[in-house]
Amino acid sequence: QNVDYVRMNGVAYGSRTGKDAPYNKLYILRKLRKARKYHRPHGEYNAVLLLDSDAVIVDLDFDVLKLLPFKYLFAAHKIYPSAPNTTWEINNGVTLWNLDHPDFDRVVDRWEHRCKEKIEMGKGVSDQGPLHHGLRADWTGKQRAERGLVRALATPHFETGNGTFVNHFIRDIDGVPQNWSDAGGTYFVPNEDRLVKIQSAVDRVCQKWPTVCKDSI
């Protein structure tokens, strides 16, 4: 369905997998930055929607760029609904980035630096914590608001498990975050329950847009 969405809306699609997949967001952002700088393929794009592998686009007609006014660097769903719209506490499994924002390079470079520090210290492979840390430590709430760094959404567009544009099936049991895999399993292999939920979301999309799904087979 993610591929179907880009075909229907005239944009490009790409994916990145492998042992370094937790850092695919940074890889893609850096690659797009380089493409724009040197006028390479895909350098004409000024926005990118980044999805974790457990996120499914469920509305093939919605224009996602409506969620990112030009003044903002990126949009994401806020973790706590009562938090301000400039909060650093966002779910980075689904993010929409403005590549033309004046602070794009600074935020991406500091995010990457903190990810490398985390790896060197042996503190895991998640990239969300380093992004949170950078947004919190390098800018005050007032500065984030003035510079338009974050548009933290309270709307259901990117809501986890029940999003109206993207359904993101985060790892949890009764609301408590869990590892991506079952105990003892390979880190990048999703458990069966999440696979069932993801497939159910795909099936619902195909029921609503049967011609699109048929064309993509």
Side-chain angles (χ1 to χ4, degrees):
Q1 272 50 62
N2 301 343
V3 178
D4 292 329
Y5 179 81
V6 300
R7 287 196 304 109
M8 289 177 61
N9 291 276
V11 294
Y13 173 83
S15 65
R16 180 167 173 81
T17 60
K19 64 180 181 179
D20 58 347
Y23 301 106
N24 59 7
K25 303 179 189 72
L26 282 165
Y27 171 86
I28 293 170
L29 292 174
R30 287 190 290 104
K31 188 169 184 177
L32 285 171
R33 176 170 63 184
K34 190 173 183 179
R36 288 167 62 77
K37 181 178 180 180
Y38 296 105
H39 306 289
R40 294 177 178 176
H42 305 311
E44 70 273 23
Y45 293 103
N46 57 12
V48 60
L49 175 66
L50 300 179
L51 306 176
D52 278 356
S53 59
D54 51 3
V56 180
I57 295 175
V58 294
D59 185 345
L60 304 186
D61 292 329
F62 180 70
D63 180 2
V64 69
L65 294 180
K66 292 179 179 180
L67 300 178
L68 189 64
F70 189 75
K71 65 171 286 187
Y72 291 101
L73 171 60
F74 76 94
H77 191 73
K78 63 174 69 174
I79 294 175
Y80 302 105
S82 61
N85 293 337
T86 57
T87 180
W88 52 268
E89 293 181 286
I90 48 85
N91 170 32
N92 83 329
V94 182
T95 53
L96 178 63
W97 291 78
N98 172 11
L99 306 181
D100 287 328
H101 193 280
D103 286 311
F104 175 81
D105 287 345
R106 187 181 181 194
V107 171
V108 170
D109 289 342
R110 293 193 178 193
W111 183 15
E112 182 178 25
H113 174 72
R114 283 185 163 85
C115 283
K116 290 179 177 178
E117 284 186 331
K118 184 175 182 179
I119 295 171
E120 291 171 357
M121 296 172 67
K123 292 188 175 181
V125 296
S126 173
D127 61 356
Q128 181 164 285
L131 177 60
H132 285 180
H133 185 195
L135 292 172
R136 181 179 73 252
D138 297 335
W139 294 273
T140 65
K142 182 180 179 181
Q143 289 172 329
R144 288 195 300 272
E146 290 175 345
R147 301 196 66 82
L149 295 187
V150 185
R151 190 183 187 206
L153 303 174
T155 61
H157 295 93
F158 295 170
E159 187 176 348
T160 55
N162 196 36
T164 57
F165 175 67
V166 174
N167 267 354
H168 184 204
F169 298 97
I170 61 173
R171 46 193 182 276
D172 68 71
I173 297 177
D174 296 329
V176 179
Q178 303 292 314
N179 287 331
W180 166 260
S181 63
D182 292 322
T186 304
Y187 185 83
F188 299 104
V189 179
N191 57 45
E192 186 65 25
D193 178 62
R194 294 172 78 196
L195 287 175
V196 170
K197 291 179 180 178
I198 292 170
Q199 186 60 54
S200 295
V202 172
D203 292 342
R204 289 193 296 271
V205 172
C206 288
Q207 289 176 3
K208 188 170 183 179
W209 288 275
T211 304
V212 174
C213 291
K214 181 180 179 181
D215 291 342
S216 66
I217 296 176

